[in-house]
């Protein structure tokens, strides 16, 4: 008989044996099957592969093949996909923290969490008008330059400052994509990457997905501590440091200019890259010069984005880099996703080149100040035992230290029962946290009255959690 029929016959025999043995049982070894039926190792392997594809068995290297737990729905066997666990291996992409920050807010719940402007603050009409102008261009649906539209790259370069040019900029699909590209391009799987502690959960998730080991570097109210950064480089041998230099998420810290220079000196001495996530540059009127504008050695890979200041769906960002790192970043984007859709790039360029851009910045900056102050005052009045880390120069968040006897997850759950959402601090740490913290956000609420109501509910939740 031919090989295909041999495989089918052995598969039928093993199918019957699996049914007889029952879930969890171990099938005879491949060697035993070969001996019983006088077939080749390839035939046995392919027969077991058929059963695995049917969800009837799962093969564990070094242990053997085992009968799976069959599920029955509507009178038919449903596929058991547990075999995929073995095929996929041990690497896990943890989307939990990011998914929680992006989750939709139920009706009647006050959001003291989130990372985007409330819809009432977004320039939706102006963006729609910019999009209408953009798509009327004759080449709007043509393939863009692979690195991005020249004028858009020139605009991002000017925002970064210093002697950055359009040739240094690469347009990518939002800040998270920029971060993922940077981690993959700059660090090999299995190597360490230094991060501020606490830090943005999306950075921790992206680093883990890239196979990197996040190592914490402590901060104070002025941001990362340069002397401890130097020590971390020396101890770990890391060649990448992830840094949010302005309005750090979650603490709100902004590196002073002097400390920015120290960070660059430390990175230069270590022969390392600094990934500067400048996500919040447009969320304050007082942003210091970017690290990229101060960099003379190609140490900084700068990430700038329009998403936070405009809309969650304005997935347009720039990665700014020089030298071989820039080439690797461009190559990575090309093989992974080609380019960012031209109509979206054209829309972004239309908007930032219009008077609506400056008017929007003025409106948002005023609203951010008002909401920040209102939230800080409400916390001081209703949760006096909680300590504000600092009053940031802008941004969307406040970082709050809770009394030592409060379990932050219990507080978050009590808050949820009281129909208010906050972000537990644990997700922001790459290692053990120093104590209970929460991040509270003022920008997602509809108005100041809802913000006040959210803090009232949070105070009630704190009383229940103690």
């Amino acid at each position: 008989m031919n090989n295909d029929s041999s495989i089918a016959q052995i598969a039928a025999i093993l199918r019957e044996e699996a049914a007889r043995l029952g879930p969890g049982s171990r099938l005879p070894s491949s060697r035993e099957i070969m001996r019983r039926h006088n077939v080749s190792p390839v035939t046995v392997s392919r027969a077991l592969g058929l059963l695995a594809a049917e969800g009837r068995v799962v093969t564990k290297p070094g242990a053997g093949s085992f009968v799976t737990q069959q599920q029955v729905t509507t009178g038919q066997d449903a596929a058991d996909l547990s075999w995929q666990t073995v095929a996929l291996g041990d690497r896990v992409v943890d989307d939990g923290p990011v998914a929680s920050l992006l989750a939709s807010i139920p009706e009647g719940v006050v959001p003291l969490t989130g990372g985007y402007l409330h819809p009432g603050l977004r320039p939706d009409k102006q963006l729609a008008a910019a999009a209408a102008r953009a798509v009327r261009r004759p080449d709007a649906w043509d393939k863009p330059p692979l690195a991005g539209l020249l004028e858009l790259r020139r605009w991002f370069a000017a925002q970064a400052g210093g002697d950055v040019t359009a040739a240094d900029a690469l347009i990518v699909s939002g800040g998270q994509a920029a971060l993922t590209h940077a981690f993959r391009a700059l660090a090999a799987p299995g190597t360490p990457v230094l991060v501020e502690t606490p830090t943005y959960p999306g950075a921790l998730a992206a680093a883990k997905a890239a196979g990197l080991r996040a190592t914490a570097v402590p901060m104070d109210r002025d941001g990362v501590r340069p002397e401890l950064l130097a020590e971390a480089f020396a101890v770990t041998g890391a060649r990448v440091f992830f840094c949010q230099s302005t309005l750090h998420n979650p603490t709100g810290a902004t590196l002073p200019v002097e400390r920015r220079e120290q960070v660059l000196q430390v990175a230069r001495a270590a022969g390392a890259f600094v990934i500067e996530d400048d996500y919040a540059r447009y969320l304050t009127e007082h942003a210091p010069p970017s690290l990229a504008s101060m960099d003379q050695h190609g140490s900084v890979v700068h990430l700038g984005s329009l998403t936070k200041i405009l809309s969650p769906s304005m997935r347009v960002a720039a990665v700014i880099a020089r030298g071989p790192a820039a080439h690797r970043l461009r190559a990575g984007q090309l093989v992974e996703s080609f380019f960012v859709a031209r109509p979206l790039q054209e829309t972004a360029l239309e908007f930032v080149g219009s008077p609506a851009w400056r008017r929007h910045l003025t409106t948002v900056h005023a609203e951010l100040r008002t909401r920040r102050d209102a939230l800080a005052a409400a916390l001081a009045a209703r949760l006096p035992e909680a300590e504000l880390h600092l009053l940031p120069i802008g941004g969307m968040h406040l970082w709050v230290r809770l009394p030592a006897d409060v379990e932050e997850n219990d507080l978050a759950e009590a808050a949820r029962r009281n129909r208010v959402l906050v972000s537990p601090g644990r997700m922001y740490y790459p290692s053990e946290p120093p104590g209970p913290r929460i991040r509270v956000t003022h920008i997602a609420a509809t108005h100041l009255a809802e913000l006040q109501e959210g803090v009232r509910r949070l105070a009630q939740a704190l009383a229940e959690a103690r």
Side-chain angles (χ1 to χ4, degrees):
M1 61 184 169
N2 62 41
N3 191 50
D4 288 345
S5 62
S6 296
I7 294 169
Q9 287 189 19
I10 296 301
I13 292 170
L14 295 178
R15 202 176 285 115
E16 291 179 3
E17 189 155 3
R20 177 178 58 81
L21 290 173
S25 300
R26 185 178 182 276
L27 288 175
S29 67
S30 295
R31 186 182 298 275
E32 177 62 18
I33 297 170
M34 290 162 53
R35 187 192 63 79
R36 287 185 190 177
H37 305 287
N38 193 28
V39 292
S40 70
V42 173
T43 298
V44 175
S45 175
R46 292 185 178 178
L48 288 171
L50 286 175
L51 268 64
E54 295 170 3
R56 297 179 185 276
V57 302
V58 59
T59 300
K60 301 179 181 179
S65 299
F66 297 83
V67 182
T68 58
Q69 178 68 50
Q70 293 292 299
Q71 302 292 326
V72 178
T73 57
T74 64
Q76 296 180 344
D77 288 345
D80 182 349
L81 304 180
S82 59
W83 65 271
Q84 293 186 1
T85 301
V86 176
L88 289 169
D90 295 333
R91 186 167 62 89
V92 174
V93 178
D94 181 11
D95 66 343
V98 176
S100 69
L101 295 174
L102 295 175
S104 299
I105 306 300
E107 185 72 25
V109 173
V110 177
L112 295 183
T113 187
Y116 299 111
L117 298 178
H118 183 273
L121 293 173
R122 295 197 311 244
D124 288 353
K125 291 182 179 179
Q126 294 85 350
L127 283 172
R133 294 193 301 271
V135 298
R136 284 199 298 267
R137 294 179 176 179
D139 55 355
W141 295 97
D142 197 1
K143 175 176 66 67
L146 297 182
L149 297 177
L150 176 60
E151 286 303 314
L152 187 57
R153 288 187 283 129
R154 186 173 288 135
W155 184 85
F156 271 111
Q159 299 300 301
D163 60 356
V164 176
T165 70
D168 303 322
L170 169 68
I171 304 301
V172 298
S173 297
Q176 189 68 21
L179 180 56
T180 299
H181 284 309
F183 277 144
R184 289 180 179 173
L186 303 178
T191 60
V193 57
L194 304 183
V195 300
E196 299 150 316
T197 184
T199 194
Y200 166 50
L204 296 177
K208 185 175 182 180
L212 307 179
R213 305 192 312 272
T215 300
V217 184
M219 304 174 60
D220 58 22
R221 284 180 171 81
D222 285 331
V224 69
R225 295 171 57 184
E227 76 280 8
L228 296 181
L229 178 62
E231 182 179 346
F233 274 128
V235 170
T236 66
R239 290 294 179 266
V240 176
F241 169 51
F242 171 73
C243 175
Q244 291 183 319
S245 55
T246 298
L247 292 171
H248 170 266
N249 181 10
T251 68
T254 294
L255 282 170
V257 172
E258 180 181 2
R259 191 171 289 194
R260 290 173 184 243
E261 293 172 343
Q262 293 172 337
V263 167
L264 289 176
Q265 291 169 5
V266 169
R268 174 65 174 162
F273 291 101
V274 177
I275 299 176
E276 180 186 24
D277 182 7
D278 206 14
Y279 81 99
R281 174 151 296 272
Y282 308 115
L283 301 179
T284 178
E285 300 166 278
H286 310 292
S290 71
L291 290 171
S293 70
M294 305 166 66
D295 174 33
Q296 299 300 315
H297 302 286
S299 301
V300 177
V301 173
H302 177 90
L303 316 181
S305 173
L306 288 171
T307 305
K308 295 295 185 185
I309 189 61
L310 294 182
S311 165
S313 288
M314 179 51 74
R315 310 302 302 172
V316 173
V319 180
I320 291 171
R322 299 173 180 176
H327 174 76
R328 184 176 291 185
L329 282 157
R330 291 169 191 268
Q333 154 125 328
L334 183 61
V335 300
E336 289 181 18
S337 56
F338 291 178
F339 48 79
V340 176
R342 183 162 190 152
L344 193 57
Q345 292 191 56
E346 296 279 10
T347 298
L349 186 57
E350 279 281 349
F351 185 83
V352 298
S354 72
W357 166 244
R358 286 297 166 191
R359 289 197 300 267
H360 175 63
L361 288 181
T362 299
T363 299
V364 171
H365 290 160
E367 187 68 18
L368 289 173
R369 288 194 302 271
T370 299
R371 287 171 175 250
R372 176 201 63 190
D373 294 344
L375 179 56
L379 290 170
R382 292 191 175 273
L383 286 84
E385 62 272 58
E387 180 184 348
L388 193 64
H389 179 71
L390 58 84
L391 193 68
I393 61 173
M396 302 177 173
H397 316 296
L398 297 180
W399 186 236
V400 179
R401 183 171 68 180
L402 301 171
D405 62 337
V406 175
E407 169 53 53
E408 64 185 41
N409 287 329
D410 291 345
L411 173 59
E413 184 55 37
R416 186 179 298 275
R417 291 195 300 269
N418 281 275
R419 302 184 68 73
V420 60
L421 299 181
V422 296
S423 299
R426 180 66 185 87
M427 75 172 84
Y428 297 89
Y429 287 92
S431 56
E432 292 302 316
R437 305 282 194 279
I438 57 172
R439 191 195 72 173
V440 288
T441 300
H442 54 68
I443 204 64
T446 305
H447 40 60
L448 293 183
E450 186 178 52
L451 196 60
Q452 297 280 353
E453 173 60 16
V455 175
R456 185 194 69 78
R457 296 181 188 183
L458 180 60
Q460 184 175 340
L462 179 59
E464 295 175 5
R466 304 187 74 172

